[in-house]
Structure formats: C-alpha cells, structure tokens
Amino acid sequence: MVNPEIKTQKFIIKYFTEIMIKGSTAKRQMIAQVYNNLNNILSKVSSDIKLKKFFDKLEVVCPIEVVAQVRQRLLDTPGIQQILEAIQFDNMHTLDDIKVKVNETCAHEIQGKSFVVRCKRTGTQEFKSPQIEQTVGGYMLAMNDAKGVALKNAEVTINIELDFAQLNIITHKHMGMGGFPLGTQGTILSLMSGGFDSTVASYLSMKRGMKTHFIFFNLGGLAHEIGVKQVAYYLWNKFGSSHRVQFITIPFEDVVTEIFKSVSEPYMGVMLKRLMLIASEKVADSMSIDALITGESVAQVSSQTLRNLALIDQSTNKLVLRPLCMMSKPDIIDIANKIGTTRFAEAMPEYCGVISKNPVTHGNFERIASEARRFDYTVLDEAVKNSVFVNVDEIDQDISEIGQMEIISDLSSGEYTVIDIRQSDDCIETSVETLKIPFYKLKSEFKKLPQDKEYLFYCEKGILSQLHAQFLRDAENYTNIKVYRP
C-alpha cells in the first residue's frame, strides 16, 4: 500500500522516440504540441492537475482521487512513448535522506523476495548513481526480511530517479500509445462506415498525429447514421479530444438510386466508391483539407483489387491514404480489439447498400469512363449541397435533436425499469428495478423483456443511451423506451 499521507501522484512522460530524433525546431514544436494537448485534455479532468514541460520529458502531478482517469488519458494520447508513475520527494540532499525515504516507501515490496535498486541521476551531487544503488540496497537489506540483493533476475526492481535534490520513486511503468502529437501532421478527412476497417484507419491517422474529421455517406437509414456517430464520438473522445473535429453526413439515397438507373451492374460498387471520393473532395476543399483516408485493404472485396483501387483513385485529385492496404482482416480486428471499437463494429446496424451482381474485379479504364459519363452528377452535387456538419463533441446534442427521445430524471413514480447499457461491469444503483444489458447486447436481449413495461436506458454521458434508444425505436418499432439522466 502507498503511504496514506501522500496526497498527489506524479507521472513522468517520455516522448515518442521519433520526436527525439527530429531537428531542434521540429522537436520543439512537437514537444509544445504534446504539452498543449495534455493541458487541454487534463483540464477537463481536474483543475488541480499541474503540468511541467522539459526538453526530454513532461511531468504531471495530480490529486490521488483522479489518478485512474489521468493514467488512462495519458495512455490514449498520441506522442507519448512511456509513462512512469512516481512518488515525488523534495529536498533529498544526502544519501541518508534518500535511503530512508526509499525504504519507507518500498519496504513492503521486497519482503521475502530478492531485489535490486536501479538509479538514474540528473544534476550535480557529491555521489554517483552506483553509490546510491549500493547505499539504498544495503540499507533496505539490513532493515527488511528480504532474500537478498540480486543484480540479475531479481524478483523486485526498485527504480528511482534523482533530479538534483528531487527524488522520484518509480512505482509503475506503462508503454504509451506512441505516434506523433495530434495536430502536428496536418488535417485529414476519414471516410467512415463504422465497421472494423474505417474505425481502425481513423485511429491510425490520429496516432500518426493527424487531426481527423469524419465523413459519412448515408445510404438510407438513420439507424446506421447514429451508429457511425457513436463510434466517431468514441474515437474522438478516447484519442483525439485535444482538438475539435467535425462529423459530416451526406445523404446518398438519391445517389444510390441514380447508380441503379445509369450504371451497369458489374461496375456499381466501383462507381459508388468513386462518387464517395468525389463528394469527399468537395467537402475537403471547403475545409482546406489536403488528404482523405479510407479503410480499404487490398483484395478484401471486389472493389479493392489493385486495378479497381486505381479506377477509384482516378476520380479525385486528393491524396488518398489507405493505412490498412497491406493488412489482413485478423490484423485489423486485433487492432479493433485493442482500441475498443470491436463492440461498436459488431453492433453496427445493418443497411442496404449497392450490391453488384457479378462485380468486376479487374475493371477497365475506358469502361469506367463510359459508365461515369452516363451518371447524372447534378444528383451528387445536390447531395453534397445537403451535407450536415456537426461538431463531434456535440453529437449527443445532435442525436437528441434528431431523435427527440424523451429524457427522464425523476424516478419517484416507480413505474420505470432502468437498463444500464454501459460496457463496463458497473451497474448504476437506483430506487427502481435496474437491469444490466451492455449496449452491444441490446438488439438481441431487449426483445426478451416484458414489453408492457417502460424502460429507461442509462449511460454516463447520455450519448449511447440516446443512440440505442433511437435505433430500437426506429428499427424495431419499440415505443416503450426513454432515456434516464439523473
């Protein structure tokens, strides 16, 4: 157990390795961006968090009460290579000061175990790092019931850092997200369907330091739109909340209708992708964005053969990035599992898109040009004209306006059953009957419940509850669902 008298926790942040090998100007800019991003993110957690910037690290000191939140935010912030949790002690001027303080803090860890002390030192002291290690190790061995000191293969390693007269005892080490600080590598527009591929591609662009906006092509259903908004909000909130980005919806129902009217069946899939890039280019131009990103992977489906990707790219002058192009589906799913988007992809509502009969896998440049000439582009222009822009951080408000789901805050009538739909194992305690059904099980589990009752969906911020209440009402015609916000 940590000393109960300790009221704050310190985190030492090591920058992504590629930042440290940049030229001095680029390095300063990236370090400043990490600092600014963390200031923005952590200020939303607590006003009592203090952040200090150094040429080779950042230091975060926070109240003990918010340690878990701060740790998770640091783990999910691009540009961070390693996170060290430390307990800080000032005015450690002598070896006696250091050995006593380290023993007070870490003695419980070495009882009955072999151990070693490792020290890194900065500043001018009368003693070197090996002396600190020997003195502290010898003192702890004498004062505790430990097996002994083992310089190799020790069961416990005591890591300490001495920065002039400031002692940091490292309690935990975590590998960070890596990548470049968000905002240092420009801005990109991600074509989002909400499935495994587009969400992983968006994550990778954010990890590489690109401010990532989202564009969604609605092929005919509100349920799919709110599902994609849900996962876009999740990605932004987890990995990119230091910057404000937009979610753009383009109504594509009429475009699909025109495809069926004017495009030959084998080329429908390729033509749809071309039209999405053309529309994305128009939106990107309006936002001064130079590049697009998609979740396409070579040969995953018929429209993603090398030839068909070349036909698709021919439709735009924008740079199109495809970070998944050499990945297999299992590779992509592994990343989705790691970043937490698998449940969203699996729960994504189904929708009817363009299904080509006998789709072409090796399209012809002259043939696609002929197909393109037959398409009425005024339909596409009208769709782009009707684009809807919403800030991702306002998606909860946007969903409320779309769905107009009734919100209940007072449970005193006792006539409701609350359903906690959060993914975690936690379940809210209320004065009425309360059930736990994670959002990704709602579609299958809700229909098993007695339908003569009124149900209130609950989540922490009210976003998931709005989204899934809206989806079940629209897709399954349930009328006995509302949202609970205490």
Side-chain angles (χ1 to χ4, degrees), residues 317-435:
N317 292 317
K318 293 290 182 185
L319 171 66
V320 181
L321 300 184
R322 294 184 173 92
L324 312 187
C325 66
M326 302 301 179
M327 292 188 189
S328 67
K329 198 67 176 185
D331 294 335
I332 296 166
I333 292 175
D334 284 346
I335 297 176
N337 288 333
K338 174 185 173 184
I339 65 177
T341 57
T342 296
R343 296 297 190 187
F344 296 94
E346 291 176 340
M348 194 61 58
E350 296 292 336
Y351 68 97
C352 295
V354 174
I355 302 174
S356 299
K357 293 181 181 179
N358 301 315
V360 64
T361 58
H362 191 77
N364 180 278
F365 284 95
E366 289 76 18
R367 175 69 181 275
I368 195 65
S370 175
E371 299 287 345
R373 283 193 295 270
R374 292 202 299 269
F375 186 84
D376 182 0
Y377 285 90
T378 61
V379 177
L380 183 66
D381 293 338
E382 186 66 20
V384 173
K385 181 181 176 181
N386 292 324
S387 301
V388 177
F389 291 68
V390 60
N391 293 318
V392 171
D393 57 302
E394 296 173 347
I395 277 180
D396 57 339
Q397 177 184 342
D398 176 62
I399 293 298
S400 297
E401 292 174 353
I402 292 174
Q404 296 297 322
M405 296 301 300
E406 185 176 350
I407 297 173
I408 302 296
S409 300
D410 183 7
L411 301 178
S412 59
S413 67
E415 61 187 19
Y416 302 110
T417 297
V418 173
I419 301 179
D420 188 331
I421 71 168
R422 292 176 294 174
Q423 185 173 349
S424 66
D425 294 331
D426 298 335
C427 186
I428 187 175
E429 295 183 5
T430 71
S431 59
V432 300
E433 181 185 11
T434 303
L435 306 177

Side-chain angles (χ1 to χ4, degrees), residues 100-339:
V100 170
K101 191 57 68 175
V102 173
N103 186 63
E104 286 178 359
T105 307
C106 302
H108 65 284
E109 297 183 23
I110 66 171
Q111 303 303 322
K113 299 178 181 179
S114 61
F115 73 99
V116 65
V117 179
R118 300 298 185 196
C119 177
K120 293 183 178 179
R121 185 179 60 86
T122 303
T124 54
Q125 295 95 2
E126 296 179 354
F127 37 81
K128 305 296 184 183
S129 294
Q131 290 176 270
I132 299 174
E133 294 171 348
Q134 293 164 9
T135 301
V136 173
Y139 182 77
M140 293 185 73
L141 183 63
M143 297 297 291
N144 297 281
D145 184 21
K147 282 184 185 178
V149 174
L151 298 182
K152 293 184 178 180
N153 302 317
E155 294 175 83
V156 177
T157 299
I158 306 296
N159 291 291
I160 61 178
E161 294 188 2
L162 186 66
D163 189 354
F164 290 89
Q166 182 186 94
L167 174 66
N168 294 304
I169 301 176
I170 310 302
T171 57
H172 296 90
K173 292 184 178 182
H174 310 279
M175 290 306 297
M177 182 176 169
F180 288 118
L182 198 67
T184 60
Q185 305 305 315
T187 305
I188 201 163
L189 184 60
S190 176
L191 281 68
M192 282 283 287
S193 68
F196 288 100
D197 302 338
S198 62
T199 53
V200 170
S202 298
Y203 159 76
L204 292 175
S205 69
M206 297 163 80
K207 179 178 179 180
R208 202 59 183 169
M210 288 174 268
K211 181 179 175 181
T212 304
H213 297 271
F214 307 96
I215 186 167
F216 166 68
F217 297 91
N218 194 329
L219 301 181
L222 178 61
H224 189 210
E225 178 181 343
I226 62 178
V228 179
K229 283 182 173 177
Q230 169 186 314
V231 73
Y233 177 87
Y234 172 85
L235 286 168
W236 169 82
N237 186 53
K238 189 169 180 65
F239 303 112
S241 62
S242 58
H243 289 69
R244 203 174 202 192
V245 299
Q246 292 189 302
F247 186 100
I248 302 99
T249 300
I250 298 185
F252 242 47
E253 300 96 327
D254 292 343
V255 174
V256 171
T257 301
E258 177 61 24
I259 288 175
F260 275 111
K261 287 170 52 180
S262 60
V263 178
S264 302
E265 285 182 349
Y267 279 83
M268 284 182 176
V270 172
M271 191 64 186
L272 176 63
K273 294 292 185 67
R274 283 171 60 97
L275 294 170
M276 287 179 174
L277 286 191
I278 294 170
S280 297
E281 179 177 2
K282 293 176 183 293
V283 171
D285 283 341
S286 72
M287 300 173 69
S288 300
I289 293 175
D290 295 326
L292 310 174
I293 187 168
T294 78
E296 291 161 317
S297 175
V298 171
Q300 190 175 110
V301 295
S302 60
S303 66
Q304 295 174 22
T305 62
L306 281 181
R307 169 57 64 87
N308 286 350
L309 289 174
L311 296 180
I312 291 166
D313 275 6
Q314 190 186 47
S315 66
T316 179
N317 292 317
K318 293 290 182 185
L319 171 66
V320 181
L321 300 184
R322 294 184 173 92
L324 312 187
C325 66
M326 302 301 179
M327 292 188 189
S328 67
K329 198 67 176 185
D331 294 335
I332 296 166
I333 292 175
D334 284 346
I335 297 176
N337 288 333
K338 174 185 173 184
I339 65 177

